[in-house]
Every structure is written in structure tokens, then in C-alpha cells.
Amino acid sequence: MHHNVARRRRAASALVVSLSALAAASLAAAPAGTAQAAPAKNASHGSRPWDRYNFSPSSRTVRPVAVFSTTGTVGDPSAVLKGRKTTLTGAGSSVTLDFGKEIGGLTTLHFARSSGTAKVGLAFNESSEYVGTTSDASTGGPRSRDGALIADVDGATAYTTPARYLRGGFRYLTVFLAEGERVDLDGVSLYFTAAPEMKDPAKYANYFYSSDDLLNRIWYAGAYTVQLNTISPKTGRIWEAPAALWDNTGAVGSGDTILVDGAKRDRTVWPGDLGIEIPAAYAAFDDTESARNALTTVYDHQHDTGELPYAGPELNKYGSDTYHLWTLAASWDYYRYTGDRRWLSGVWDRYAKAVDYSTAKLSSKGLLSITGTSDSVRILAKGENLIANVLLWRVLDKGAELAKVQGDTALAKSYADRAGALRTAIDANLWDETAGAYRFYPDSAIHPQDGDALAVWYGLADTAKARCISTSLKGNWNEITSTAPENKGNPGVFSGSMEVNAHFAAGGRAADQTGVDLIRRQWGYMLNHPQGTGSTFWESFRNPSDGCVFCSTYVSLAHAWATGPTPALTFSVLGLNPSGVGGRSFDFVPHTADLTFAQGRITTPLGAVEASWKVAKGRYQARLSAPRGAEGRAGVPTFGVRTKVRVDGRLVWDGTRARARGVHADGEYVYVEGLRGDHTITGDRA
């Protein structure tokens, strides 16, 4: 179960040399006067209108774009941005450089000269609130700050961060004179280490673009957050924490790229986060390799009892029934996007053993009664918890399909039967008709954001219940965010990502509008907050009435469990969603809300599916382009009126009945089945 420590350390040492060399080379190779422009205003990524929202750098060499602040005696502070000399005179003098967005990697400083020997400090901060001469906390343990790196400067010299001090997430770099009389700093750059398998980090496989500027910004900020959480498995957090500073040479999984839970920290596979990360990484990048490696890592650390870890190496934590189930639920997401039968066969026995581990805990009521109580933001009480039961239902329901793929029809039937029985038990023991939502536990007065949202998103709740839950969840909002009653009414970030997707899954114009409104409200707040990174989404935050936003330097401000809007905007608002396995079928069913147009792309193993729609003066127009072999279902919204639908000019629905095969309606959409290739689709009032 445990890695060979000596082998791991040798691999880490090799990485120190290679990454440090690359970082030093990046400063020397780039033109001295080049500055990285703010991504939202930068058209350098290309001429397509959505490219201006892309936060990812086209080059692995990234430079600061502004001076945030200075202390002491600093001569010409902004000169270093242009490759000229910025002078620090006297111990304590500092310049804080702003990269304009969250970044991560290895930093290189170049000094033109010094007055004798000097010591220069480097401190890294995500939020402007914590800028200073000590770095944010990323290691855990008793200390609240990580301290600062110290570079020895004696004349003209360059300093590159050693690989163990790779800083995975920060926006602000404070360079300060710790000892000495004077140094002339004339170069600062960063070698960007996220998404190690992408040749060009800014070249996404997919895109999203709509009539709403804020939603576009949010889609790309979510994508960028996931990208920063995609790392080399050899650059994770060492655990236990070192006595001083930090160490990011930990071996945290298999392969060459992996999804972890935070750019700054923990840089570790956490299965709960994968429930949001895997759909987001697929929606933005068609990155399923990082997902596979993360899941494989978790399965490789399964206990003989069948229990899967709460967190992967190097943390190697156990004791969570919910996170155990998140691994199994996320396995379906990976398989759905890839159709990777070889991988499925390789983990199948472990999947089945993990299912048995959970079903052995069913109570006399037919509900899962948890005993492993660790979870996302709190310790759960033992007992028949809602989200654990929703997750188990999902695992059994989709496990039945996976068992069919494995050719085990008996197990498939068993899983399906048990999923049905569990659904009945959940409705009988946890549904609160008066509140229009499920209870946290059978005897609880709390109706939780996470479990209720997941019940809708994953399809456990029927349509009537789902729409009641959507209304109930909206009742928990305040002026800036959704809240989680199960977490003392704090803002829901991980659970909020579930809620966003739940509103669209509930369906209907009211729920669709609620989903879009929540994205604007909560994710717009995070993206535009003056103390945020302006480019990534957060692990958690507090209501303003608490007197602080983050309340700790340990909070991660680039946390992929907060990226739920990215897949929601692609899969639901644009409406492109893989519906079969391995890209063989897809849906194009837009949830238009109050938008006037949207366009974008998903990439499947069969190729790219691209679509666009617009609504003007009561008319719906859409275009669809799909690869050979892929079959699609298009949904034309009726907006509550009788609608004529044409495909490539041919009338297929006359407002009341089908005029072609594979066409039907449910009152909200007219569906056209069996579409292949390229099509133009229109909907007009009948």
C-alpha cells in the first residue's frame, strides 16, 4: 500500500534539478521588457472572442504585471517589470509584485548588483489581505504562516526557487531585503508548472461563449482553477509537514499528471473533490488522463476490508464513508467520458469490494448508516446521513451499468434492485413533504444543501421533488451566496457547486433561471472580490458579518471543488452533454434562461461536438456539428408556447405532433433523436 520511500526521494531529487533548470532558463530566454498582460484584457491568445477570457498563459514563462506596494526605500519600483533595475536599500525594504492572477511554479530572480553580500527574502501570498514578508500557510500543523525563502546575493547573480519550494498558488510575490545595504533587482519570472502535459496551457480542447460577459469570465476562471489543480504527481505536498517552510516534492499518485484539491495546498488527491473536478476538467480540457490517474491512485490504496482512502498519499487518511463513495461515483464519470474498458476491468474487483464495504452498513430501515464520519467541511454524526445515501444510490445505479459492461448480468441486476430499494428507503425515511426537501438525518430538522442538491443533480429525486428542492435551496441564499444549513449556515462552495448543477437538472424555466442567477451571484462575488485572486475560485469563505472573508491564510483560493459552474454552463446552459459512453451519443438540450446566445464545444473520443444557439424575437436558431459515429439528441425549447420545429429546413414538429421519426415533446422541449453530422435547427411559434 505504501510507496518505496527511497525511490520516491530519488525521483523527487531528479525533478528538483530539471524544474530548477527550466525556471532559470525561462528568465534568460524571454525578452527583458516583456510583461504578462491581464488575461481578461488580453487578445494575444487568438482572434476568437472567447479567447480574451482565457487566464492561462501561452508561455510557461510568466512575469509580474504591476507593483502592488512597497515598504522602506525602493528606487524605481516598477522598473523591474521592464527588465530594468529596481533598487532595495536598507534591511526591511520591500517591493510586492502582482502577477495579475493566481499562478504557480518556480520563481527566478535576477540581480544586477549588490553592495557586498546580502540576503533577499521571497514571500508568496494568494490574497492581498495577507501580503507581507511571510508566506501564506500551506503545510498544516500549528503555524499560521509558512515564512519566507532567503536568497544569498553577492554581486550580479540569479536565484531560482529549489523544486521543494515550488509554490503552487499565489498572486503576490514580496521581495525584501532581509540583510545587507542594497541590491539591484532587474528580473523576475515564474516557470508555470501546472497542467504538465499541456504543451500550450492556453490551448483548451473546448470553449464556452455566451451573451453574458460575467458567465464567460466565470467559465474560464473555473477552467483555470482546475488547471492549477492539475499537477505532476511528483510535486505534491510532503506529509508530515517540515519543521520550517514547505516541501512540494511529495509523490502523490501515478502517471504524469493528476487532479489534486488545491494549487497552494493540499496538492493531494481527495476523492470528494473529484466529483466536481472530473466533470470540470472534461468540460474545459477534455482532460481525462489526470482523472484516471487520480482514481487509480485511490484504488491502489484500498484496504483489505474494501475501504478506500479519505485522502491519497502522502496524507493517506481513512475514515470517511462519504469520500469512500465519492471515488466510486467519480469512476462512473470517468468511464462515461472515455468508455475506457481496460481501466474499468483493472479496478472492477476493487470497485465491487468497495460497494460491499458500504452495503454491509445498511440499517434495518434499508439506509446506509455511516460510521466513518470524516467529510468535506465538518465531522458528520454517525447514522443515516442523506448525502451518504444519495452517493450509495448513485454508485449502485451506475454500478449496474458498469457491471453490464463487465458482462456480469447477475451483479448488474443485484445492483439495480438494491438501488431501487435504497431509493424507496430514502424517500420513506428522509423526505419532508412540508419542507419540500430531504432531511439531513431521519430525525433532523435540517435540510442540507449538499445532500438535497446531489439528490437532484444525480437524478434520485423525481421531477416533482426536484423542483421543490430547487425552490427550497434558493430559500437559503443571502445577498452574496448560497448557504449550507448543515454547515452552520456558512457559504456553500463544494456544496454550492452541487447546487448549481442541481437547478439545471431540476428543469423548467424557473429552475434554469435560478441556476444562472446563483452562478452570477456567488461566483461573481468570488471572482470580483477585491481580496480574491480575480482569476480562481475558493475553497471556502465566510459571510461579511463575520468580519473576515477567508479568516485564515490556510484557505486555498484556487480550489477545484468550487468549479461547478464550468460543467454546468457547458452541459446545461449551452446544453452539450455526453449522454452515452465514450462519446457515442450526446445531448444538445439548452437551458437558455435569460441569455440570448451561447456556443461552445465538447470533445469526445470520437471527435469534437460543436454547437451554438440564439434566441431573438421568439425564434430559436441552433447549429450542430458532430463527428462521424456520434449520435445526438437535440432539444428545442418551447418557452411555454406551441412551437414548430425544423431540421435543415424540413418541418419535423408542427406544434402538436411529429412529422418525422424520432421526434417527440414533453411540453418544455421538442426532442429530435438520431441526429448525425451537421444540422441547422429552428423553433418558431406555431
Side-chain angles (χ1 to χ4, degrees):
M1 184 179 77
H2 299 288
H3 294 289
N4 181 288
V5 175
R7 186 173 64 242
R8 185 180 65 202
R9 297 292 184 236
R10 287 195 298 272
S13 297
L15 192 73
V16 170
V17 175
S18 62
L19 288 181
S20 297
L22 284 167
S26 73
L27 180 63
T34 303
Q36 184 78 22
K41 301 177 182 178
N42 182 12
S44 66
H45 288 306
S47 60
R48 302 175 303 178
W50 50 88
D51 286 331
R52 70 180 182 270
Y53 300 103
N54 193 326
F55 290 97
S56 302
S58 293
S59 167
R60 291 277 174 187
T61 302
V62 183
R63 285 186 167 75
V65 298
V67 173
F68 177 74
S69 64
T70 64
T71 63
T73 304
V74 181
D76 204 353
S78 62
V80 69
L81 302 176
K82 302 173 183 179
R84 301 199 300 266
K85 290 186 295 184
T86 291
T87 302
L88 305 179
T89 304
S93 295
S94 73
V95 58
T96 298
L97 303 172
D98 182 0
F99 283 81
K101 61 186 176 184
E102 182 94 349
I103 54 169
L106 298 169
T107 302
T108 295
L109 306 181
H110 189 271
F111 299 92
R113 59 169 294 217
S114 66
S115 296
T117 301
K119 292 185 179 294
V120 174
L122 295 82
F124 304 86
N125 300 97
E126 288 186 299
S127 171
S128 59
E129 181 179 6
Y130 301 123
V131 161
T133 56
T134 183
S135 303
D136 297 335
S138 72
T139 58
R143 63 177 182 265
S144 62
R145 293 290 189 120
D146 281 351
L149 301 179
I150 299 296
D152 293 321
V153 180
D154 188 3
T157 188
Y159 167 85
T160 295
T161 309
R164 66 182 178 278
Y165 298 135
L166 181 152
R167 198 72 182 182
F170 68 98
R171 174 173 170 172
Y172 302 97
L173 169 65
T174 298
V175 181
F176 62 96
L177 189 56
E179 294 180 15
E181 296 180 5
R182 168 180 167 168
V183 293
D184 292 340
L185 177 69
D186 65 353
V188 178
S189 73
L190 174 117
Y191 178 74
F192 187 76
T193 56
E197 292 297 283
M198 290 183 71
K199 183 177 180 180
D200 178 352
K203 191 173 183 180
Y204 293 8
N206 302 322
Y207 72 95
F208 173 84
Y209 182 57
S210 77
S211 57
D212 190 300
D213 181 75
L214 179 58
L215 295 183
N216 299 337
R217 291 172 56 215
I218 288 169
W219 190 94
Y220 279 93
Y224 186 54
T225 302
V226 171
Q227 186 174 70
L228 287 167
N229 282 250
T230 307
I231 69 171
S232 162
K234 298 180 179 65
T235 61
R237 182 174 76 164
I238 288 288
W239 190 259
E240 298 284 335
L245 301 173
W246 62 94
D247 190 335
N248 283 327
T249 57
V252 296
S254 60
D256 298 314
T257 178
I258 198 166
L259 290 173
V260 295
D261 82 318
K264 177 180 72 174
R265 67 112 195 116
D266 295 320
R267 300 180 69 82
T268 301
V269 179
W270 287 82
D273 301 58
L274 297 179
I276 305 298
E277 282 184 291
I278 290 177
Y282 171 76
F285 306 109
D286 185 34
D287 179 13
T288 56
E289 179 185 358
S290 301
R292 182 192 67 228
N293 291 336
L295 289 167
T296 299
T297 296
V298 177
Y299 280 115
D300 284 348
H301 289 76
Q302 186 178 38
H303 277 164
D304 291 342
T305 60
E307 182 185 8
L308 294 166
Y310 173 44
E314 289 196 347
L315 295 180
N316 291 316
K317 292 179 179 288
Y318 294 82
S320 172
D321 282 321
T322 51
Y323 272 46
H324 168 91
L325 288 164
W326 274 115
T327 295
L328 304 179
S331 297
W332 165 255
D333 290 330
Y334 170 73
Y335 184 73
R336 181 164 71 99
Y337 301 146
T338 64
D340 187 348
R341 292 193 177 199
R342 182 176 179 180
W343 177 83
L344 179 62
S345 295
V347 302
W348 183 246
D349 288 344
R350 287 172 278 179
Y351 182 100
K353 190 172 185 178
V355 172
D356 291 343
Y357 175 84
S358 292
T359 56
K361 298 186 180 187
L362 291 177
S363 71
S364 60
K365 296 176 184 175
L367 295 173
L368 170 60
S369 183
I370 65 169
T371 57
T373 57
S374 295
D375 194 58
S376 56
V377 292
R378 76 280 192 204
I379 300 298
L380 295 168
K382 292 182 179 180
E384 296 150 330
N385 172 270
L386 174 60
I387 193 170
N389 278 277
V390 175
L391 284 165
L392 179 56
W393 175 82
R394 174 74 164 188
V395 167
L396 291 168
D397 182 63
K398 296 306 179 185
E401 297 188 41
L402 296 176
K404 290 177 184 176
V405 173
Q406 289 299 106
D408 193 337
T409 56
L411 187 58
K413 184 179 186 306
S414 174
Y415 281 174
D417 289 346
R418 283 186 272 174
L422 180 57
R423 185 180 201 163
T424 299
I426 291 170
D427 285 344
N429 293 284
L430 292 167
W431 178 251
D432 183 344
E433 186 67 35
T434 302
Y438 291 104
R439 298 182 182 91
F440 196 24
Y441 291 82
D443 58 353
S444 175
I446 295 172
H447 303 91
Q449 180 185 33
D450 57 5
D452 273 297
L454 206 63
V456 178
W457 183 19
Y458 279 174
L460 180 142
D462 63 28
T463 299
K465 285 186 174 69
R467 293 186 180 179
C468 286
I469 292 170
S470 177
T471 301
S472 173
L473 289 168
K474 186 176 180 180
N476 294 326
W477 296 2
N478 61 31
E479 67 277 7
I480 61 170
T481 183
S482 68
T483 66
E486 71 276 21
N487 185 32
K488 303 177 183 178
N490 286 317
V493 182
F494 181 29
S495 53
S497 284
M498 301 176 211
E499 180 178 336
V500 164
N501 286 275
H503 290 301
F504 296 115
R509 286 180 291 166
D512 290 346
Q513 191 61 51
T514 299
V516 167
D517 290 345
L518 178 55
I519 294 173
R520 290 171 176 149
R521 180 179 302 214
Q522 180 166 335
W523 278 264
Y525 175 82
M526 284 191 275
L527 187 56
N528 292 325
H529 198 285
Q531 293 174 340
T533 69
S535 55
T536 54
F537 297 124
W538 313 337
E539 176 185 18
S540 64
F541 63 103
R542 302 291 289 272
N543 290 311
S545 59
D546 292 328
C548 54
V549 181
F550 311 118
C551 304
S552 168
T553 68
Y554 191 59
V555 172
S556 166
L557 301 192
H559 215 79
W561 75 7
T563 60
T566 296
L569 289 168
T570 292
F571 297 161
S572 297
V573 173
L574 172 61
L576 274 184
N577 195 352
S579 59
V581 171
R584 292 179 177 82
S585 62
F586 63 90
D587 284 343
F588 174 36
V589 183
H591 296 244
T592 58
D594 58 2
L595 279 69
T596 58
F597 75 83
Q599 68 183 92
R601 178 171 60 219
I602 60 173
T603 303
T604 77
L606 295 177
V609 181
E610 197 151 1
S612 64
W613 59 260
K614 64 180 180 178
V615 178
K617 298 180 180 179
R619 187 168 205 244
Y620 172 85
Q621 295 177 274
R623 294 183 180 273
L624 173 66
S625 178
R628 290 184 61 183
E631 182 175 297
R633 179 185 72 144
V636 178
T638 66
F639 305 110
V641 300
R642 289 173 57 188
T643 301
K644 291 182 179 180
V645 175
R646 289 178 170 84
V647 177
D648 303 325
R650 178 192 174 198
L651 183 68
V652 298
W653 183 264
D654 67 8
T656 58
R657 63 188 180 88
R659 302 292 293 271
R661 287 184 183 178
V663 180
H664 56 97
D666 64 5
E668 295 177 353
Y669 292 90
V670 175
Y671 298 96
V672 183
E673 308 274 358
L675 293 174
R676 296 176 181 270
D678 300 347
H679 298 282
T680 299
I681 305 165
T682 60
D684 298 283
R685 291 175 181 266

